[in-house]
Amino acid sequence: KTKDLARMQKNKLLETLTRNRESVYGRLYNFKNIQDVHQYQDQVPLTTYEDYAPYIERICDGESSVLTLDRVSMLEPTSGSTSAAKLVVYTDALKKEFQNGLKPWFYSLYTNYPGIRWGKSYWSITPVTHNTKYTSAGIPVGFEEDSQYFGKLEEYLFNWIFAVPSKLVKHCSMEEFYYKTALNLLACENLTLISIWNPTFLLLVLEFMDKNQKVLIQDLYTRDPKRATFLENVLLNKEYASVWPDLVVISCWCHGNARKYVHEIKTLFPKAVVEPKGVLATEGLISFPVNGLAGSALSVYSHFFEFQSLEDNQLYLAHQLEEDKDYAVIITTAGGFYRYQLRDVIKVCGFMGEIPLICFVGKQDRVSDLFGEKLNEVFVKEVLEGLQISGFAMLAPKDNFYVLFTTFPIDAEMVDQGLRTNYHYNYCRKLGQLKPVRIFRLTGDPLQEYLGECVKAGQRLGDIKLSALSLHSHWDTVFKGEYL
């Protein structure tokens, strides 16, 4: 069976290379002479975004056939920890690769949870607070809404079942966005599916309902007095499960730094199934969830994959992965990224036949290095989890020390000792280059403050990922609280 997976992935690679062999990049690396995976690995280097920046500038200026032979339909900004500076090329072929992973997920979702079909759904919608931007050659920059990942048929069908119509929240302020989203969700009696990315987004919508319940109820009275009367006491007692008694599934990120908020979601909606999302990046779709299985299935028909082991630094293909081991993901896509290092770290948590099941662990490239300490997000997350810190917690550099921003009562020395298990950090502490960790006790609403700062920096609200480690040193001017 592993031979079948190996053959599938080889065919996917050769199809992509053949399609783009006459592009500027394809001619540079002689795609037309590549016959197998090993030859591809020998001939084409591993890449990062910086390798593509000059090519993407040429695309922005209107040059064609640069990375692919396909027409560039748009450019999508990627999002870092608080920025959105890189542009990813989107073509119809790349969109099809996304759909090769999304459609099996939809099938699994609606087949395994038939109750979803008889009600309305809320799909992640991001507020568009600016006019569409274009490059000098007229190429649009940025999706207007998340449904543009789907095909025309799916978009048409979804518009019939959306609890919050996407047109309703376009080009409005954040306050208006939250208000219109909350009002329409409250008005929906038969909500059966909530599909979001970060679980904190749903918690923020519920928090908005709680803080603005009087004005929301008043507005709802003009639409549906009976519904408004019912919700008055329900919201007062924060009985959110009673607001949508038919809710079957909440789909959201459940791994990495999102894990700590999933428990709160499950407590608020005990009868609903909280189904983990797959691993998805702006550059490509890595995996999709399958009902009842741990992890999500590697989307082997979407892209060609390579994996770099965190254990021995060697490269492996999809059919060579081993259970319980961590790997960094490398993808080749129809969008013109070849052997692109995503820096997403995944763990193999099982197999579905020959297909690996994976879980997201963290970002390999989020490394803070003031004096050579080389702290990375995966390590920091493990330290914080080992200290059993609950609630919001994020480490960030500041001058010559690190700050833990948290709502959890924790002794700074314990955090420092945990970080000192890292050889490089411990060495910097011994030399006195780094001072001990300090605690910044958060007293405001850290989730709102964090998301607000990310949105201000250009990220889309629905896409923001929480991180155990930030590379920015300004957070003590963003968060409300005090140093201990």
Side-chain angles (χ1 to χ4, degrees):
K1 277 195 172 182
T2 54
K3 290 181 181 178
D4 294 336
L5 178 55
R7 187 175 66 250
M8 282 191 294
Q9 279 282 280
K10 177 186 174 183
N11 291 342
K12 183 66 190 173
L13 172 64
L14 295 181
E15 173 194 322
T16 302
L17 298 182
T18 301
R19 186 185 188 99
N20 298 307
R21 63 187 178 185
E22 293 304 322
S23 66
V24 172
Y25 200 88
R27 290 198 303 272
L28 177 65
Y29 290 104
N30 207 10
F31 282 3
K32 66 180 180 182
N33 288 337
I34 296 175
Q35 301 297 320
D36 57 41
V37 172
H38 295 300
Q39 194 178 354
Y40 177 60
Q41 291 176 322
D42 289 339
Q43 212 161 297
V44 180
L46 292 172
T47 59
T48 64
Y49 181 82
E50 287 65 32
D51 296 307
Y52 297 101
Y55 297 100
I56 291 173
E57 281 183 25
R58 291 165 67 174
I59 291 169
C60 289
D61 290 337
E63 189 176 339
S64 60
S65 304
V66 178
L67 292 171
T68 71
L69 288 189
D70 295 313
R71 183 184 69 86
V72 175
S73 55
M74 58 154 284
L75 296 159
E76 172 69 354
T78 65
S79 52
S81 54
T82 57
S83 63
K86 304 172 185 177
L87 295 174
V88 175
V89 175
Y90 267 71
T91 63
D92 287 342
L94 179 60
K95 188 173 181 179
K96 185 178 178 182
E97 288 187 334
F98 270 93
Q99 292 169 7
N100 286 344
L102 289 171
K103 288 179 179 178
W105 172 49
F106 294 155
Y107 178 81
S108 171
L109 194 63
Y110 282 88
T111 301
N112 290 298
Y113 305 106
I116 293 173
R117 304 174 196 171
W118 315 119
K120 294 277 188 179
S121 301
Y122 176 71
W123 289 82
S124 174
I125 302 171
T126 299
V128 180
T129 56
H130 55 78
N131 294 323
T132 303
K133 296 178 182 177
Y134 296 89
T135 70
S136 59
I139 303 171
V141 178
F143 285 149
E144 283 241 321
E145 56 192 67
D146 294 340
S147 62
Q148 285 184 281
Y149 277 115
F150 312 129
K152 291 293 180 186
L153 176 61
E154 288 90 346
E155 280 190 64
Y156 176 78
L157 293 173
F158 286 159
N159 282 331
W160 281 94
I161 61 172
F162 275 171
V164 182
S166 56
K167 291 179 180 178
L168 197 68
V169 293
K170 277 187 180 180
H171 306 292
C172 60
S173 68
M174 290 301 297
E175 187 73 14
E176 289 175 309
F177 166 76
Y178 273 116
Y179 188 80
K180 289 178 179 180
T181 300
L183 184 64
N184 281 273
L185 284 175
L186 288 173
C188 183
E189 295 186 51
N190 61 333
L191 188 69
T192 55
L193 169 67
I194 293 176
S195 178
I196 53 177
W197 295 109
N198 204 309
T200 57
F201 175 69
L202 177 57
L203 295 175
L204 289 173
V205 172
L206 298 179
E207 183 182 302
F208 184 90
M209 290 178 180
D210 180 49
K211 290 180 178 177
N212 299 275
Q213 55 185 277
K214 287 184 180 179
V215 66
L216 286 165
I217 292 295
Q218 281 179 350
D219 207 343
L220 197 56
Y221 261 111
T222 63
R223 294 191 187 191
D224 188 344
K226 185 178 177 183
R227 176 77 172 161
T229 302
F230 166 72
L231 289 178
E232 211 161 1
N233 285 330
V234 170
L235 287 183
L236 193 64
N237 297 316
K238 299 184 181 182
E239 297 170 349
Y240 298 115
S242 300
V243 177
W244 306 293
D246 299 323
L247 186 60
V248 179
V249 175
I250 299 171
S251 171
C252 64
W253 286 323
C254 292
H255 301 111
N257 296 303
R259 186 186 306 156
K260 64 180 76 171
Y261 298 99
V262 172
H263 176 73
E264 193 173 346
I265 297 287
K266 288 180 177 179
T267 302
L268 290 169
F269 301 98
K271 292 183 180 178
V273 174
V274 179
E275 183 183 82
K277 289 275 194 203
V279 181
L280 181 144
T282 309
E283 298 87 346
L285 190 146
I286 315 307
S287 66
F288 57 87
V290 179
N291 177 53
L293 296 178
S296 53
L298 185 68
S299 191
V300 295
Y301 288 109
S302 290
H303 318 294
F304 172 72
F305 294 98
E306 298 170 81
F307 300 87
Q308 188 167 33
S309 169
L310 266 63
E311 188 176 283
D312 59 17
N313 220 34
Q314 297 299 307
L315 292 177
Y316 297 89
L317 301 178
H319 66 280
Q320 298 170 324
L321 298 185
E322 296 182 32
E323 192 167 353
D324 289 328
K325 292 195 174 179
D326 293 344
Y327 302 88
V329 182
I330 301 164
I331 58 173
T332 293
T333 77
F337 278 6
Y338 306 96
R339 305 199 73 202
Y340 180 76
Q341 299 173 93
L342 268 180
R343 306 295 192 187
D344 281 2
V345 178
I346 57 94
K347 181 182 288 291
V348 178
C349 36
F351 292 88
M352 182 179 67
E354 58 188 316
I355 306 297
L357 298 172
I358 64 174
C359 296
F360 177 74
V361 175
K363 294 294 290 184
Q364 187 186 34
D365 64 342
R366 191 162 293 146
V367 176
S368 183
D369 196 19
L370 298 178
F371 302 102
E373 67 275 16
K374 297 180 175 62
L375 290 180
N376 68 70
E377 185 195 15
V378 176
F379 168 74
V380 170
K381 185 167 70 70
E382 288 173 353
V383 169
L384 299 183
E385 286 179 352
L387 294 170
Q388 298 183 317
I389 296 174
S390 60
F392 189 96
M394 182 178 75
L395 192 76
K398 184 73 177 180
D399 300 325
N400 60 348
F401 59 93
Y402 280 83
V403 182
L404 180 65
F405 296 89
T406 184
T407 54
F408 188 79
I410 184 78
D411 181 60
E413 189 176 345
M414 291 178 65
V415 180
D416 200 55
Q417 288 301 318
L419 295 176
R420 291 186 79 155
T421 59
N422 174 302
Y423 171 82
H424 298 289
Y425 178 87
N426 187 47
Y427 187 67
C428 290
R429 285 282 290 110
K430 283 181 177 179
L431 290 178
Q433 292 172 309
L434 282 173
K435 300 299 180 186
V437 168
R438 294 188 65 184
I439 305 295
F440 189 98
R441 187 183 57 163
L442 299 168
T443 58
D445 189 336
L447 278 179
Q448 282 279 19
E449 292 154 11
Y450 178 83
L451 295 177
E453 182 68 9
C454 293
V455 168
K456 194 191 303 181
Q459 290 194 57
R460 296 195 302 166
L461 180 64
D463 298 346
I464 296 168
K465 295 178 180 177
L466 294 174
S467 174
L469 175 67
S470 172
L471 307 186
H472 301 274
S473 60
H474 72 306
W475 289 106
D476 55 1
T477 66
V478 174
F479 291 125
K480 293 178 183 176
E482 60 185 358
Y483 281 101
L484 299 183

